[in-house]
Every structure is written in C-alpha cells, then in structure tokens.
Amino acid sequence: MFVPVRNGFPFVNKTHQLDIGGKDISEYLQFLLKKKGIENVPNIDKIKEDYCFVSDCEEPDKEKVEEVSVELPDKTILKLKEERYRATELFYHPERIRKELGGIGRKLFNTLYDIDHYLKRELRGPIVLAGGNTLFKGFEERLTLETKYHDINSFFKNRIKMHATQDRQYIQWLGGSIFSLISVFPNLCTTKAEFDECGPSAVSDRCFYNTK
C-alpha cells in the first residue's frame, strides 16, 4: 500500500496498492524449487527471510550470486542460487503469477505523480518503508532505481529519497500503539454494539478523514 501523508493526515483517495505479499513470495519460491524437482520444502518462510534478496536488476550477473546451502529438518541439503532473487522479482513483475500489471516501482511513481502539483516537492522524500517485505537485502536500493526508471521525464529530478528504520517490520504496530495514547483516541473507537448495528460504515463514518 502506498499512502501519501502530510502533517499526519493521509490522502486516502490518492493511495495505490500492490496485491503482492509475503505469502506470494513464499509460494513463488516453492514453485521455483518445484521446477528443479524439489517439492514441499519445509520452513519455506524462514528460508525466504534468511536467504532471498532483491537484486539491482531483473537478471543480475549469475556469477556474482552466491550459492547457499540450507540444511532441512530431514538433514538433506537444499542449494539455492537464482531462486534467491527470482522469488522477490514478484514485487516488480506480479504478472508472473497472473496478478495485475505494474510492479512496486510503477505503483510508487504513480502515487507520487498523482499528488497535487504543489505538494510533489514536499512528498517525494523521505519515503518511509514499512512492513516485513521491505527487510529483504537490496529492497531499498532497487525501489529507488525502479522509481527513477519510471520517471522518464525527470519530473522528480532524481530527488526521491527512501527512509528505512531497523524496526520497520513493526512500524504499523508502533504507530497504532502511539495513536492509542492520544487523548481523543477513545472518541474515535467504534463499540461492538455500534458495529453490530451499522456494520463497517460505523467505522468509516467516524473516521475524520472519511472521503464520502
């Protein structure tokens, strides 16, 4: 999800979404291994997190990609090389699993481009990365390159900046915990009785940035 934020307020009607998550990367890694004749690899999420990375281009120099050996629970050895970066290419080529066209670089550029002109200079950086998928080695660098690649008219003049904190996999929870401490938080909460009576609209109608 790409959400422009200014002074703490999100531009809800300017958001873009990429329908690719960690589960998709894990399943695609499993698929790539199956093509090599290796099926039903256990602990695939852990293997993905420990050994996969984002390359600086779609097909990097294979001679520079290190092959790693992973010992599975049954003591067999799994060797990974091209799969290490090809699994994460889904971020940039979701069509490989029949999802929408346009990867994460295109989505980020579209989000920046759709912002009102007078805000573009302010919101082109820093771009805050959040979520576990942004922890892949090379994620920040590749996203910067891809966004600049789509900026064919140098609209942002190569001034796009990324901001990646060490705890970014928890940043949504940290933000939620801070939000819960502000004085008006109880007034923004929806009770179960209200939700049972009105459904999801009970939440959206109470939200101060409702776009209806």
Side-chain angles (χ1 to χ4, degrees):
M1 179 76 76
F2 306 88
V3 185
V5 178
R6 183 171 186 258
N7 296 331
F9 291 88
F11 293 80
V12 180
N13 61 343
K14 299 292 186 181
T15 62
H16 289 257
Q17 182 171 334
L18 180 68
D19 192 20
I20 292 290
K23 181 181 178 182
D24 297 299
I25 304 299
S26 296
E27 291 179 349
Y28 193 57
L29 177 58
Q30 196 78 268
F31 167 76
L32 293 172
L33 293 172
K34 185 177 180 180
K35 290 176 67 175
K36 291 175 59 174
I38 307 171
E39 298 192 42
N40 301 319
V41 176
N43 302 328
I44 195 70
D45 290 336
K46 178 66 172 172
I47 292 172
K48 171 195 70 177
E49 293 166 5
D50 289 347
Y51 299 104
C52 286
F53 67 94
V54 177
S55 64
D56 58 3
C57 60
E58 183 176 353
E59 284 295 337
D61 185 350
K62 295 178 183 178
E63 296 299 322
K64 296 181 180 180
V65 177
E66 179 185 0
E67 182 178 72
V68 297
S69 298
V70 183
E71 183 176 346
L72 301 179
D74 63 0
K75 303 302 180 182
T76 60
I77 301 299
L78 172 67
K79 293 186 179 295
L80 297 171
K81 190 171 183 179
E82 289 89 350
E83 300 83 9
R84 296 180 61 204
Y85 64 84
R86 286 181 176 168
T88 59
E89 275 300 308
L90 280 188
F91 290 130
Y92 301 95
H93 299 281
E95 69 276 4
R96 292 182 180 179
I97 57 171
R98 299 182 180 179
K99 296 235 176 174
E100 59 189 303
L101 293 173
I104 190 171
R106 166 59 71 180
K107 293 288 185 179
L108 175 54
F109 176 76
N110 288 346
T111 302
L112 293 170
Y113 194 79
D114 287 348
I115 299 169
D116 292 339
H117 183 77
Y118 72 97
L119 293 174
K120 282 182 167 61
R121 181 185 298 273
E122 180 178 344
L123 296 182
R124 67 189 173 193
I127 296 167
V128 179
L129 302 182
N133 283 325
T134 68
L135 292 173
F136 285 112
K137 180 181 178 181
F139 185 95
E140 178 183 352
E141 294 80 1
R142 175 72 178 277
L143 182 55
T144 302
L145 289 173
E146 289 282 333
T147 308
K148 291 178 179 178
Y149 169 79
H150 290 295
D151 187 17
I152 57 177
N153 294 318
S154 297
F155 192 86
F156 297 103
K157 302 184 185 301
N158 293 323
R159 294 176 182 172
I160 294 171
K161 300 177 182 178
M162 303 291 171
H163 179 68
T165 63
Q166 293 295 323
D167 57 357
R168 58 189 180 275
Q169 70 269 42
Y170 309 119
I171 201 167
Q172 297 93 329
W173 300 102
L174 292 171
S177 65
I178 294 171
F179 183 63
S180 69
L181 298 176
I182 64 177
S183 60
V184 298
F185 178 74
N187 299 328
L188 299 174
C189 294
T190 301
T191 66
K192 184 178 185 300
E194 290 172 329
F195 190 87
D196 289 342
E197 179 181 354
C198 303
S201 63
V203 179
S204 60
D205 289 347
R206 189 182 294 268
C207 186
F208 59 84
Y209 54 82
N210 182 29
T211 58
K212 287 185 178 180

